[in-house]
Amino acid sequence: MKKPLFALLLCAATAVQAAPYLPASGRQVIETLPRRGDPVQQELRRMRSELNARPGDMALATALATRYIGLARSETDPRYLGYAQAALAPWWWLSSPPAPVRLLRATLLQSTHQFKPAMDDLKAVLAADPANAQAWLTQATVQTVQGDYAGATTSCAHLSTMSIELITITCIANVGAATGRSLKSEQLLELTLERSSNAPAELQVWALTLLAEMAQRRDAADLAETRYQRALALSPRDSYLLGAYADFLLEQRRANEVVALLKDQTRIDALLLRRALALQQLGNARTALAADIKELAARFDAATQRGDTVHQREQARFELLLRHDPATALTLARRNWAVQKEAADIRIYLESALHARDANAAKPVLDWVALNRTEDVAASRLIRQLQAGT
Protein backbone atom coordinates (compact mmCIF):
# COMPACT_ATOMS: atom_id res chain seq x y z
CA MET A 1 0.00 0.00 0.00
CA LYS A 2 2.67 2.43 -0.90
CA LYS A 3 2.39 4.52 -4.00
CA PRO A 4 -0.63 3.25 -5.99
CA LEU A 5 -0.88 0.15 -3.81
CA PHE A 6 -1.67 2.25 -0.79
CA ALA A 7 -3.85 4.82 -2.46
CA LEU A 8 -6.12 2.31 -4.09
CA LEU A 9 -7.04 0.24 -1.08
CA LEU A 10 -7.95 3.20 1.06
CA CYS A 11 -9.89 4.81 -1.69
CA ALA A 12 -12.11 1.87 -2.47
CA ALA A 13 -14.81 3.99 -0.91
CA THR A 14 -18.41 3.22 -1.71
CA ALA A 15 -19.76 5.45 -4.44
CA VAL A 16 -22.66 7.49 -3.15
CA GLN A 17 -25.23 9.24 -5.27
CA ALA A 18 -27.84 11.54 -3.80
CA ALA A 19 -31.18 12.81 -5.00
CA PRO A 20 -31.15 16.36 -6.36
CA TYR A 21 -31.34 18.90 -3.55
CA LEU A 22 -33.43 22.07 -3.82
CA PRO A 23 -32.13 24.89 -1.57
CA ALA A 24 -34.67 26.83 0.46
CA SER A 25 -33.44 30.17 -0.91
CA GLY A 26 -30.80 31.72 -3.11
CA ARG A 27 -28.88 32.78 -0.01
CA GLN A 28 -28.44 29.27 1.33
CA VAL A 29 -24.87 27.92 1.20
CA ILE A 30 -25.02 24.51 -0.42
CA GLU A 31 -21.34 23.73 -0.58
CA THR A 32 -17.97 25.38 -0.13
CA LEU A 33 -15.88 24.61 -3.20
CA PRO A 34 -12.14 23.95 -2.94
CA ARG A 35 -10.11 27.11 -3.22
CA ARG A 36 -8.73 27.69 -6.67
CA GLY A 37 -5.40 28.40 -5.04
CA ASP A 38 -5.34 24.98 -3.38
CA PRO A 39 -2.17 23.27 -4.71
CA VAL A 40 -3.97 19.93 -5.03
CA GLN A 41 -6.80 21.43 -7.08
CA GLN A 42 -4.30 23.35 -9.21
CA GLU A 43 -2.46 20.12 -9.96
CA LEU A 44 -5.70 18.34 -10.80
CA ARG A 45 -6.73 21.13 -13.17
CA ARG A 46 -3.35 20.94 -14.86
CA MET A 47 -3.63 17.16 -15.27
CA ARG A 48 -7.22 17.41 -16.56
CA SER A 49 -6.18 20.03 -19.09
CA GLU A 50 -3.35 17.84 -20.31
CA LEU A 51 -5.64 14.81 -20.52
CA ASN A 52 -8.22 16.79 -22.50
CA ALA A 53 -5.47 17.57 -24.97
CA ARG A 54 -4.20 13.96 -24.99
CA PRO A 55 -7.19 11.73 -24.06
CA GLY A 56 -5.33 8.62 -25.22
CA ASP A 57 -2.39 9.15 -22.86
CA MET A 58 -2.90 6.12 -20.63
CA ALA A 59 -0.10 6.97 -18.20
CA LEU A 60 -1.60 10.39 -17.59
CA ALA A 61 -5.15 9.03 -17.37
CA THR A 62 -4.24 6.39 -14.80
CA ALA A 63 -2.21 8.88 -12.78
CA LEU A 64 -5.16 11.28 -12.69
CA ALA A 65 -7.63 8.49 -11.86
CA THR A 66 -5.41 7.36 -9.00
CA ARG A 67 -5.33 10.91 -7.61
CA TYR A 68 -9.11 11.13 -7.81
CA ILE A 69 -9.56 7.80 -6.05
CA GLY A 70 -7.31 9.00 -3.27
CA LEU A 71 -9.29 12.20 -2.85
CA ALA A 72 -12.61 10.34 -2.79
CA ARG A 73 -11.81 9.14 0.68
CA SER A 74 -9.45 11.73 2.05
CA GLU A 75 -11.95 14.49 1.18
CA THR A 76 -15.10 12.48 1.98
CA ASP A 77 -16.31 13.18 -1.55
CA PRO A 78 -17.52 10.22 -3.66
CA ARG A 79 -17.81 12.40 -6.76
CA TYR A 80 -14.10 11.94 -7.27
CA LEU A 81 -14.80 8.28 -8.06
CA GLY A 82 -16.91 9.41 -10.99
CA TYR A 83 -14.13 11.72 -12.11
CA ALA A 84 -11.73 8.77 -11.94
CA GLN A 85 -13.96 6.68 -14.19
CA ALA A 86 -14.28 9.58 -16.62
CA ALA A 87 -10.49 9.82 -16.86
CA LEU A 88 -10.44 6.16 -17.91
CA ALA A 89 -13.27 6.55 -20.43
CA PRO A 90 -11.32 5.54 -23.58
CA TRP A 91 -10.61 2.11 -22.05
CA TRP A 92 -13.48 1.61 -19.60
CA TRP A 93 -15.68 -0.60 -21.75
CA LEU A 94 -12.91 -2.69 -23.34
CA SER A 95 -13.13 -6.40 -22.56
CA SER A 96 -9.38 -6.54 -21.97
CA PRO A 97 -8.02 -3.07 -21.22
CA PRO A 98 -4.34 -2.57 -20.38
CA ALA A 99 -3.41 -3.87 -16.92
CA PRO A 100 -3.04 -0.45 -15.22
CA VAL A 101 -6.52 0.55 -16.36
CA ARG A 102 -7.93 -2.85 -15.50
CA LEU A 103 -6.66 -2.62 -11.93
CA LEU A 104 -8.18 0.82 -11.48
CA ARG A 105 -11.42 -0.38 -13.02
CA ALA A 106 -11.53 -3.26 -10.55
CA THR A 107 -11.07 -0.82 -7.68
CA LEU A 108 -13.90 1.39 -8.89
CA LEU A 109 -16.18 -1.57 -9.62
CA GLN A 110 -15.74 -3.03 -6.15
CA SER A 111 -16.46 0.39 -4.66
CA THR A 112 -19.99 0.05 -6.07
CA HIS A 113 -20.26 -3.60 -4.99
CA GLN A 114 -19.90 -4.93 -8.51
CA PHE A 115 -17.79 -7.69 -7.07
CA LYS A 116 -17.95 -10.26 -9.86
CA PRO A 117 -16.66 -8.00 -12.66
CA ALA A 118 -14.13 -6.57 -10.20
CA MET A 119 -12.85 -10.06 -9.42
CA ASP A 120 -12.77 -10.92 -13.12
CA ASP A 121 -10.53 -7.91 -13.72
CA LEU A 122 -8.30 -8.73 -10.74
CA LYS A 123 -7.84 -12.34 -11.82
CA ALA A 124 -6.92 -11.18 -15.32
CA VAL A 125 -4.35 -8.73 -13.93
CA LEU A 126 -2.83 -11.40 -11.70
CA ALA A 127 -2.73 -13.96 -14.49
CA ALA A 128 -0.61 -11.56 -16.51
CA ASP A 129 1.37 -10.20 -13.55
CA PRO A 130 1.46 -12.51 -10.49
CA ALA A 131 3.73 -10.02 -8.69
CA ASN A 132 1.17 -7.23 -8.72
CA ALA A 133 0.83 -6.48 -5.00
CA GLN A 134 -2.03 -4.02 -5.41
CA ALA A 135 -4.11 -6.61 -7.25
CA TRP A 136 -3.53 -9.19 -4.49
CA LEU A 137 -4.50 -6.66 -1.85
CA THR A 138 -7.64 -5.50 -3.63
CA GLN A 139 -8.60 -9.12 -4.27
CA ALA A 140 -8.12 -9.93 -0.57
CA THR A 141 -10.37 -7.00 0.33
CA VAL A 142 -13.16 -8.19 -1.96
CA GLN A 143 -12.82 -11.78 -0.77
CA THR A 144 -13.02 -10.73 2.87
CA VAL A 145 -16.11 -8.61 2.29
CA GLN A 146 -17.79 -11.53 0.53
CA GLY A 147 -16.78 -14.02 3.22
CA ASP A 148 -14.30 -16.01 1.15
CA TYR A 149 -11.83 -16.20 4.01
CA ALA A 150 -9.71 -19.01 2.60
CA GLY A 151 -9.26 -17.09 -0.63
CA ALA A 152 -8.52 -13.87 1.25
CA THR A 153 -5.90 -15.59 3.39
CA THR A 154 -4.17 -16.88 0.27
CA SER A 155 -4.25 -13.44 -1.34
CA CYS A 156 -2.83 -11.83 1.81
CA ALA A 157 -0.05 -14.41 1.95
CA HIS A 158 1.12 -13.40 -1.51
CA LEU A 159 1.80 -9.91 -0.16
CA SER A 160 4.50 -11.07 2.25
CA THR A 161 7.25 -10.90 -0.37
CA MET A 162 5.87 -7.88 -2.23
CA SER A 163 5.12 -5.23 0.38
CA ILE A 164 6.03 -3.97 3.83
CA GLU A 165 5.13 -6.03 6.87
CA LEU A 166 2.31 -3.79 8.08
CA ILE A 167 0.38 -4.30 4.84
CA THR A 168 0.57 -8.07 5.06
CA ILE A 169 -0.28 -8.24 8.75
CA THR A 170 -3.21 -5.81 8.46
CA CYS A 171 -4.55 -7.84 5.55
CA ILE A 172 -4.26 -11.10 7.50
CA ALA A 173 -5.63 -9.56 10.71
CA ASN A 174 -8.71 -8.39 8.83
CA VAL A 175 -9.43 -12.02 7.97
CA GLY A 176 -8.54 -13.27 11.45
CA ALA A 177 -10.96 -10.80 13.03
CA ALA A 178 -13.79 -12.50 11.14
CA THR A 179 -12.78 -16.11 11.73
CA GLY A 180 -12.43 -16.69 15.45
CA ARG A 181 -8.87 -15.39 15.78
CA SER A 182 -9.67 -11.83 16.72
CA LEU A 183 -7.63 -11.35 19.89
CA LYS A 184 -4.46 -12.95 18.52
CA SER A 185 -4.85 -11.01 15.27
CA GLU A 186 -5.33 -7.80 17.24
CA GLN A 187 -2.21 -8.41 19.34
CA LEU A 188 -0.09 -9.21 16.29
CA LEU A 189 -1.33 -6.16 14.40
CA GLU A 190 -0.74 -3.87 17.37
CA LEU A 191 2.85 -5.08 17.72
CA THR A 192 3.43 -4.68 14.00
CA LEU A 193 2.03 -1.15 14.04
CA GLU A 194 4.28 -0.21 16.97
CA ARG A 195 7.36 -1.12 14.98
CA SER A 196 6.08 0.53 11.80
CA SER A 197 6.23 4.16 12.86
CA ASN A 198 7.72 5.13 9.50
CA ALA A 199 4.86 3.59 7.52
CA PRO A 200 2.76 6.01 5.42
CA ALA A 201 0.06 7.77 7.44
CA GLU A 202 -2.69 6.22 5.31
CA LEU A 203 -1.50 2.75 6.16
CA GLN A 204 -1.37 3.58 9.86
CA VAL A 205 -4.96 4.84 9.62
CA TRP A 206 -6.06 1.56 8.05
CA ALA A 207 -4.39 -0.47 10.80
CA LEU A 208 -5.62 1.80 13.61
CA THR A 209 -9.20 1.73 12.34
CA LEU A 210 -9.16 -2.06 12.20
CA LEU A 211 -7.64 -2.20 15.68
CA ALA A 212 -10.30 0.15 17.01
CA GLU A 213 -13.06 -2.00 15.52
CA MET A 214 -11.51 -5.12 17.02
CA ALA A 215 -11.47 -3.53 20.48
CA GLN A 216 -15.02 -2.29 20.01
CA ARG A 217 -16.27 -5.76 19.10
CA ARG A 218 -14.91 -7.20 22.35
CA ASP A 219 -16.32 -4.28 24.36
CA ALA A 220 -12.96 -2.69 25.19
CA ALA A 221 -14.40 0.82 24.84
CA ASP A 222 -11.50 2.82 26.27
CA LEU A 223 -9.00 1.14 24.00
CA ALA A 224 -11.27 1.55 20.99
CA GLU A 225 -11.64 5.25 21.78
CA THR A 226 -7.88 5.73 21.96
CA ARG A 227 -7.33 4.02 18.63
CA TYR A 228 -10.12 5.90 16.87
CA GLN A 229 -8.69 9.19 18.13
CA ARG A 230 -5.22 8.29 16.91
CA ALA A 231 -6.59 7.45 13.48
CA LEU A 232 -8.65 10.65 13.31
CA ALA A 233 -5.60 12.71 14.19
CA LEU A 234 -3.95 11.32 11.07
CA SER A 235 -6.97 11.47 8.76
CA PRO A 236 -9.87 13.54 10.11
CA ARG A 237 -11.94 13.34 6.90
CA ASP A 238 -11.66 9.63 6.13
CA SER A 239 -15.26 8.66 5.39
CA TYR A 240 -15.02 5.03 6.51
CA LEU A 241 -13.28 6.05 9.73
CA LEU A 242 -15.88 8.74 10.43
CA GLY A 243 -18.69 6.22 10.00
CA ALA A 244 -17.02 3.62 12.22
CA TYR A 245 -16.28 6.13 14.96
CA ALA A 246 -19.81 7.54 14.74
CA ASP A 247 -21.21 4.02 15.26
CA PHE A 248 -18.94 3.62 18.29
CA LEU A 249 -20.15 6.92 19.74
CA LEU A 250 -23.77 5.92 19.14
CA GLU A 251 -23.15 2.68 21.03
CA GLN A 252 -21.72 4.75 23.88
CA ARG A 253 -24.78 7.07 23.86
CA ARG A 254 -22.62 10.06 22.92
CA ALA A 255 -24.97 11.52 20.34
CA ASN A 256 -23.84 15.13 20.77
CA GLU A 257 -20.35 14.12 19.69
CA VAL A 258 -21.72 12.40 16.58
CA VAL A 259 -23.58 15.54 15.54
CA ALA A 260 -20.41 17.59 15.96
CA LEU A 261 -18.25 15.00 14.20
CA LEU A 262 -20.47 14.85 11.11
CA LYS A 263 -21.42 18.52 10.93
CA ASP A 264 -20.01 19.04 7.44
CA GLN A 265 -19.97 15.46 6.17
CA THR A 266 -23.58 14.70 5.27
CA ARG A 267 -23.04 14.55 1.52
CA ILE A 268 -22.30 10.88 2.21
CA ASP A 269 -25.56 8.96 2.72
CA ALA A 270 -24.03 6.68 5.37
CA LEU A 271 -22.83 9.68 7.39
CA LEU A 272 -26.16 11.49 7.08
CA LEU A 273 -27.78 8.32 8.40
CA ARG A 274 -25.56 8.36 11.46
CA ARG A 275 -26.31 12.01 12.14
CA ALA A 276 -30.02 11.24 11.98
CA LEU A 277 -29.55 8.37 14.43
CA ALA A 278 -27.69 10.75 16.74
CA LEU A 279 -30.49 13.33 16.52
CA GLN A 280 -32.99 10.62 17.33
CA GLN A 281 -30.90 9.55 20.31
CA LEU A 282 -30.78 13.15 21.56
CA GLY A 283 -34.56 13.40 21.44
CA ASN A 284 -34.64 17.20 21.42
CA ALA A 285 -34.10 17.99 17.72
CA ARG A 286 -37.31 16.84 16.09
CA THR A 287 -37.29 19.36 13.26
CA ALA A 288 -33.70 18.55 12.25
CA LEU A 289 -34.39 14.83 12.58
CA ALA A 290 -37.49 15.05 10.39
CA ALA A 291 -35.48 16.91 7.74
CA ASP A 292 -32.75 14.27 7.79
CA ILE A 293 -35.28 11.44 7.54
CA LYS A 294 -36.96 13.14 4.59
CA GLU A 295 -33.60 13.65 2.87
CA LEU A 296 -32.53 10.05 3.47
CA ALA A 297 -35.85 8.74 2.17
CA ALA A 298 -35.40 10.76 -1.02
CA ARG A 299 -31.86 9.50 -1.49
CA PHE A 300 -32.75 5.85 -0.89
CA ASP A 301 -35.85 6.09 -3.11
CA ALA A 302 -33.72 7.58 -5.91
CA ALA A 303 -31.19 4.77 -5.49
CA THR A 304 -33.97 2.17 -5.70
CA GLN A 305 -35.29 3.74 -8.90
CA ARG A 306 -31.79 3.61 -10.39
CA GLY A 307 -31.45 -0.05 -9.43
CA ASP A 308 -28.59 0.92 -7.12
CA THR A 309 -28.20 -1.71 -4.38
CA VAL A 310 -24.92 -0.48 -2.93
CA HIS A 311 -26.37 0.85 0.31
CA GLN A 312 -28.82 -1.85 1.33
CA ARG A 313 -27.13 -2.20 4.73
CA GLU A 314 -27.56 1.51 5.44
CA GLN A 315 -31.09 1.46 4.05
CA ALA A 316 -31.94 -1.47 6.32
CA ARG A 317 -30.75 0.56 9.32
CA PHE A 318 -32.82 3.50 8.10
CA GLU A 319 -35.98 1.41 7.80
CA LEU A 320 -35.46 -0.35 11.13
CA LEU A 321 -34.26 2.46 13.37
CA LEU A 322 -35.73 5.61 11.83
CA ARG A 323 -38.85 4.41 10.05
CA HIS A 324 -39.49 1.57 12.52
CA ASP A 325 -40.36 -0.89 9.74
CA PRO A 326 -38.65 -4.17 10.70
CA ALA A 327 -40.22 -6.18 7.88
CA THR A 328 -38.76 -3.93 5.19
CA ALA A 329 -35.48 -3.74 7.09
CA LEU A 330 -35.27 -7.53 7.19
CA THR A 331 -35.90 -7.79 3.45
CA LEU A 332 -33.09 -5.32 2.78
CA ALA A 333 -30.75 -6.99 5.27
CA ARG A 334 -31.36 -10.36 3.62
CA ARG A 335 -30.57 -8.95 0.17
CA ASN A 336 -27.48 -7.24 1.52
CA TRP A 337 -26.32 -10.51 3.10
CA ALA A 338 -26.28 -12.14 -0.31
CA VAL A 339 -23.66 -9.58 -1.36
CA GLN A 340 -21.46 -8.90 1.66
CA LYS A 341 -20.80 -10.48 5.05
CA GLU A 342 -18.99 -8.06 7.33
CA ALA A 343 -19.59 -7.52 11.04
CA ALA A 344 -22.05 -4.68 10.40
CA ASP A 345 -23.98 -6.88 7.96
CA ILE A 346 -24.31 -9.55 10.64
CA ARG A 347 -25.61 -7.08 13.19
CA ILE A 348 -28.24 -5.40 11.03
CA TYR A 349 -29.56 -8.77 9.83
CA LEU A 350 -29.85 -10.11 13.40
CA GLU A 351 -31.36 -6.88 14.72
CA SER A 352 -33.91 -6.76 11.91
CA ALA A 353 -34.90 -10.38 12.49
CA LEU A 354 -35.22 -9.72 16.23
CA HIS A 355 -37.51 -6.71 15.77
CA ALA A 356 -39.50 -8.55 13.09
CA ARG A 357 -39.92 -11.42 15.58
CA ASP A 358 -38.69 -13.84 12.93
CA ALA A 359 -35.91 -15.95 14.42
CA ASN A 360 -36.11 -18.41 11.53
CA ALA A 361 -35.15 -15.66 9.09
CA ALA A 362 -31.87 -15.25 10.96
CA LYS A 363 -30.78 -18.87 10.43
CA PRO A 364 -28.33 -18.14 7.56
CA VAL A 365 -26.53 -15.62 9.74
CA LEU A 366 -26.65 -17.79 12.85
CA ASP A 367 -25.13 -20.67 10.86
CA TRP A 368 -22.47 -18.33 9.47
CA VAL A 369 -21.53 -17.04 12.91
CA ALA A 370 -21.24 -20.58 14.26
CA LEU A 371 -19.24 -21.84 11.27
CA ASN A 372 -16.73 -18.97 11.35
CA ARG A 373 -16.66 -18.55 15.15
CA THR A 374 -17.45 -14.88 14.80
CA GLU A 375 -16.47 -12.83 17.84
CA ASP A 376 -18.61 -9.75 18.42
CA VAL A 377 -20.30 -8.90 21.73
CA ALA A 378 -23.08 -6.96 19.96
CA ALA A 379 -23.87 -9.90 17.67
CA SER A 380 -23.72 -12.33 20.58
CA ARG A 381 -26.20 -10.23 22.54
CA LEU A 382 -28.60 -10.19 19.59
CA ILE A 383 -28.27 -13.94 19.16
CA ARG A 384 -29.14 -14.52 22.82
CA GLN A 385 -32.21 -12.31 22.45
CA LEU A 386 -33.31 -14.17 19.33
CA GLN A 387 -32.87 -17.51 21.02
CA ALA A 388 -34.81 -16.30 24.04
CA GLY A 389 -37.58 -15.00 21.82
CA THR A 390 -37.34 -11.47 23.18
Side-chain angles (χ1 to χ4, degrees), residues 43-60:
E43 175 68 6
L44 289 173
R45 284 196 296 273
R46 181 191 64 77
M47 295 176 72
R48 283 197 303 267
S49 178
E50 291 181 5
L51 187 61
N52 287 337
R54 306 193 309 275
D57 187 333
M58 188 183 69
L60 178 59

Side-chain angles (χ1 to χ4, degrees), residues 16-21 250 262 265-280 287-306 308 311-323 332:
V16 178
Q17 299 182 41
Y21 174 67
L250 288 168
L262 304 180
Q265 309 296 338
T266 53
R267 182 190 297 114
I268 304 289
D269 296 353
L271 299 185
L272 177 60
L273 170 66
R274 286 158 174 84
R275 186 180 73 174
L277 292 172
L279 293 173
Q280 179 177 256
T287 301
L289 174 59
D292 280 1
I293 290 174
K294 182 178 179 180
E295 175 68 13
L296 282 165
R299 294 187 190 188
F300 287 133
D301 287 348
T304 299
Q305 292 173 15
R306 292 193 303 269
D308 179 355
H311 304 298
Q312 288 181 328
R313 178 169 73 199
E314 285 74 20
Q315 191 173 0
R317 289 182 72 182
F318 172 70
E319 295 292 346
L320 179 65
L321 302 176
L322 292 172
R323 276 185 162 174
L332 289 163

Side-chain angles (χ1 to χ4, degrees), residues 176-195:
T179 53
R181 304 188 304 276
S182 186
L183 186 56
K184 289 184 177 179
S185 297
E186 182 180 340
Q187 292 169 340
L188 176 59
L189 179 55
E190 185 173 34
L191 288 171
T192 306
L193 180 60
E194 287 177 0
R195 59 175 178 256

